[in-house]
Amino acid sequence: MRRNEHFPRIFALSAAFVVSGLSGSAWSATPAGSVRHATAVTVEQKDADGPTEVRIQFDSPPTYTARVDRGGLRVILDIPSAVVQGAKPALVGKTGLVAGVLTQSFGSGESSTARVLVTLSQPAERAVRVEGNALVLSLSKVAEKVTPKREGVAAASPASPASPQAVSENRVLEVKFSHLSDQDQVLVKLASPPSYSLENGQAGRSRLVLRNTILPGALQQTLDATAFGGPLKTVSSYTDAVAHGVTLDAERQVLATSQVRVEGSSLIWSFFRPGDVSSAVTGIAADGKEARRIRTLHVDSPASDLPEIHATFSGLEQSSGPVEQAGSLTPSVLGQVAGGGGRRIDLDLKDADIHNVLRLLADVGSVNIVTADNVTGSVTIRMRNVPWKQALDVVLQAKGLGMIERGNMVRVAPLADLEKEREMEVARRAQEVRLAPLETRLIPVSYATADDVQQRVSPLLSERGSVAVDTRTNMLIVRDLSGNLDQIEQLTRELDTQTPQVLVEARIVEATSRYIKDVGIQWGGDASFSPATGNPTGLVFPNSIGIAGGASDGNTPTAGLSPSQASVTNPNFAVNLPAAVGAGSGGALGLAFGSIDNTINLGLRLSAAETSGMLRILSSPRILTLDNNEARISQGTLIPFSQVSAQGVQTTFQEAKLQLLVRPHVTADGSVSMKVKINRDEPDFNQTSARGDPTVLKREAETELLVPDGHTAVIGGIYTRNSGRSADQVPFFGDIPLIGLLFQRRRATDQRQELVIFLTPRIVNRAQALGR
């Protein structure tokens, strides 16, 4: 078939495309006039089987463009030179064929555009008309029909909507807004961990889609946050029948951005002001103080004026990563964006000239295509319902061609020629770099050492660059290209900062309580029955009797046993179970009973001692040190010990001291990580060795921990309690009820000790070291 025989078929195909494109994707209208205001949006259905009408009321007659999306389940109406003012941002709830309506505004003044997105519950026939100052979208059920095919042109068939997915049991429980000092947050609580996707638009719009999620009717609402003055203005939540889930549309400041994080089964959607993204994400510590920020010092700018060669590959739009071909090229598909590819067309060509095919695709895509002279050949292709951009990629791939885009211009040439041109341009650029003049710059270093900084900046030098260090002035001498010098200077300024200084304070609190109770009794006496005392027994045997206590004790204090003597020389006790009383400890009461002739005497002495006390010791060592440097502070005494050996008596010393040993490290978020060892030792003279040397009471804690700046952590504690009861008694007599108390000594003790160690780190120069 000759070349000119293809023209009728090509033009017929172009005409068929225009007809099918207008019926399936867009209706056009007249140009826009002055700025209009959309004041109301309503959805009505008068009859159960009648059409559903969406009416958008304006203050003047509108013009419009309309298109369909998502396989015919969403209609998008764009009204140029119009803004939404007075109309509700969203209408939720199913009415007839309409599942929901969302209104948006873009731009300002006459360049503004009002957009109305109408989501359908099922495919429908669409018709748009203007009635006075209102724009009316009429929707009616689709009637089944068969579309005939014509020879050479594939009939356009409407895209069948995706079958509804099974909705899981996940459910939205709460949607709540909160305003913070540096950001706005929308908290979405769900019954289970969600599946979601986030899209940040370019015109102050963000969308969060929760898949397979149910939204109760009470939560289908719009939250207005404009009164808070934050980056978020409004957020609307509604059920999206097309996505089979829940959609949250947010209106934010144009330059603001948002991000989502998952905490358990909740989503936290955060909105940041311009310039606050880095500080809000990586520069704010948990306690609200400024921390180290993650900064990008330099990004090599791409050679934007170099031609970008686009190669083509089969099925590239399904690939998630870059594809390489011809060794050095990273190809991309023209118009490869979400839902991109341009208008869908049908192609049925046989032995068509490549130039005519490119002219047809240029006309369809409204672009200018310039073809090189060495592009020749014919194309045989049959495609149905494919984007024109994808068709262009396939044609170029089949002929080994590539393309370069510059605005609305597309240049097509053999791929090998384009690669050769690019290599020549790269070589020219490299030659310019080799001929560029060098500069010398002196960069002072204040806090770091120039030798250390030299090692960091050396990788940034070009092949012609050099760096030297002046030790006396602690300065870098760098010679290189101007652009490299700027990078090196910026890196030096970022690294040459104050090292964080950390003040570590430890508090060691010891509390001791002691209680001792001791109750004892001593009693005894004597009786004499004899002729000498005038009271004999009157018997031959025994004629005289003498009775006295058998526990003779001349060392026991006996004050109080005799009313006339301070002490009894040799008291005879029948029961000798005294309490440990003496000067400053306890007390005793003595009773003496005797007959007129002193033949019968009874002495009784009650002694009791009770001791209670509380002791608290507070030790607070503190020390200041640099980040990642070990510091030590101690206070105590050296206890001498004598050691006998073959060389004689030698004296050694044992330390008994309070010591704090710490190595702190300041983390990026402003917390302090520490390796700590704390000792508190003291001599104990109550427990000594055989030679009288005191023992050493040791208290020690060693650990690693992470503490926020200025917070106090309890790193450890020891609690001990010793309690006991004892009773001394005379056998048999001590077991007699009541009377047995005269034959017993009872003691009770209760001693408690508690040791707690607190640690508080503080970054002294936080603002200079971290807040850059």
Side-chain angles (χ1 to χ4, degrees), residues 110-121:
E110 292 188 358
S111 61
S112 61
T113 300
R115 173 169 292 180
V116 180
L117 296 92
V118 182
T119 302
L120 309 183
S121 58

Side-chain angles (χ1 to χ4, degrees), residues 3-241:
R3 180 181 302 179
N4 57 0
E5 294 178 359
H6 290 287
F7 280 100
R9 179 172 298 180
I10 292 174
F11 291 131
L13 175 63
S14 177
F17 165 75
V18 173
V19 173
S20 63
L22 289 176
S23 63
S25 64
W27 307 280
S28 62
T30 59
S34 59
V35 178
R36 304 170 182 82
H37 298 85
T39 58
V41 178
T42 59
V43 180
E44 298 178 351
Q45 185 179 21
K46 298 180 180 179
D47 300 328
D49 297 330
T52 303
E53 292 186 349
V54 179
R55 183 178 296 270
I56 305 101
Q57 189 68 36
F58 293 84
D59 55 1
S60 61
T63 59
Y64 67 92
T65 60
R67 57 190 175 93
V68 295
D69 193 9
R70 296 183 181 177
L73 289 180
R74 186 169 70 173
V75 179
I76 303 176
L77 302 175
D78 288 337
I79 299 90
S81 301
V83 295
V84 179
Q85 183 175 3
K88 294 183 179 180
L91 298 178
V92 296
K94 185 176 182 298
T95 303
L97 300 175
V98 177
V101 180
L102 179 66
T103 57
Q104 299 174 328
S105 296
F106 307 93
S108 60
E110 292 188 358
S111 61
S112 61
T113 300
R115 173 169 292 180
V116 180
L117 296 92
V118 182
T119 302
L120 309 183
S121 58
Q122 64 186 54
E125 296 286 347
R126 305 165 297 274
V128 183
R129 66 182 185 275
V130 177
E131 292 183 0
N133 294 342
L135 180 63
V136 181
L137 170 62
S138 179
L139 304 169
S140 57
K141 294 182 180 180
V142 179
E144 296 183 0
K145 60 181 180 179
V146 179
T147 303
K149 298 182 180 180
R150 294 182 298 169
E151 181 180 359
V153 179
S157 60
S160 59
S163 59
Q165 302 175 3
V167 180
S168 66
E169 295 300 326
N170 201 3
R171 178 182 296 270
V172 178
L173 303 178
E174 183 181 8
V175 179
K176 184 171 63 175
F177 166 80
S178 60
H179 174 71
L180 304 179
S181 60
D182 60 341
Q183 59 182 282
D184 287 343
Q185 289 184 350
V186 176
L187 174 63
V188 183
K189 292 185 178 180
L190 299 104
S192 60
S195 174
Y196 71 93
S197 61
L198 174 64
E199 176 185 353
N200 285 316
Q202 299 295 329
R205 296 284 175 172
S206 295
R207 170 169 294 179
L208 178 63
V209 179
L210 307 177
R211 293 181 289 273
N212 297 334
T213 306
I214 300 174
L215 181 68
L219 297 181
Q220 298 186 10
Q221 57 188 354
T222 298
L223 302 177
D224 189 355
T226 55
F228 295 92
L232 178 62
K233 298 179 180 179
T234 61
V235 58
S236 302
S237 55
Y238 57 90
T239 300
D240 193 337

Side-chain angles (χ1 to χ4, degrees), residues 94 106 241 358 383 400 410 474 697:
K94 185 176 182 298
F106 307 93
L358 294 178
M383 297 182 180
V410 178
N474 200 37
L697 298 176

Side-chain angles (χ1 to χ4, degrees), residues 42 176 179 197 208 220 289 292 349 390 491 597 603-604 650 671-672 674 687 690 705 717 764:
T42 59
K176 184 171 63 175
H179 174 71
S197 61
L208 178 63
Q220 298 186 10
K289 301 179 181 178
R292 284 193 181 98
L349 305 174
Q390 185 177 350
L491 176 61
D597 55 0
L604 178 63
Q650 297 180 348
S671 300
V672 181
M674 294 176 290
Q687 301 181 29
L705 70 161
V764 177

Side-chain angles (χ1 to χ4, degrees), residues 674-753:
M674 294 176 290
K675 294 183 178 180
V676 184
K677 183 177 180 181
I678 300 176
N679 296 83
R680 188 184 183 280
D681 305 337
E682 62 179 352
D684 184 7
F685 293 96
N686 294 324
Q687 301 181 29
T688 59
S689 65
R691 293 193 301 269
D693 298 327
T695 58
V696 177
L697 298 176
K698 296 184 68 65
R699 302 171 184 86
E700 179 177 304
E702 183 174 359
T703 183
E704 297 184 18
L705 70 161
L706 178 66
V707 183
D709 177 28
H711 289 213
T712 300
V714 181
I715 67 172
I718 300 176
Y719 175 78
T720 60
R721 178 179 182 181
N722 297 325
S723 60
R725 292 178 178 272
S726 64
D728 300 332
Q729 67 179 21
V730 177
F732 178 73
F733 294 100
D735 296 330
I736 301 175
L738 297 179
I739 299 176
L741 296 176
L742 300 175
F743 299 89
Q744 292 180 346
R745 175 192 177 187
R746 295 180 175 271
R747 292 187 300 273
T749 60
D750 190 1
Q751 186 172 353
R752 308 181 188 185
Q753 292 182 339

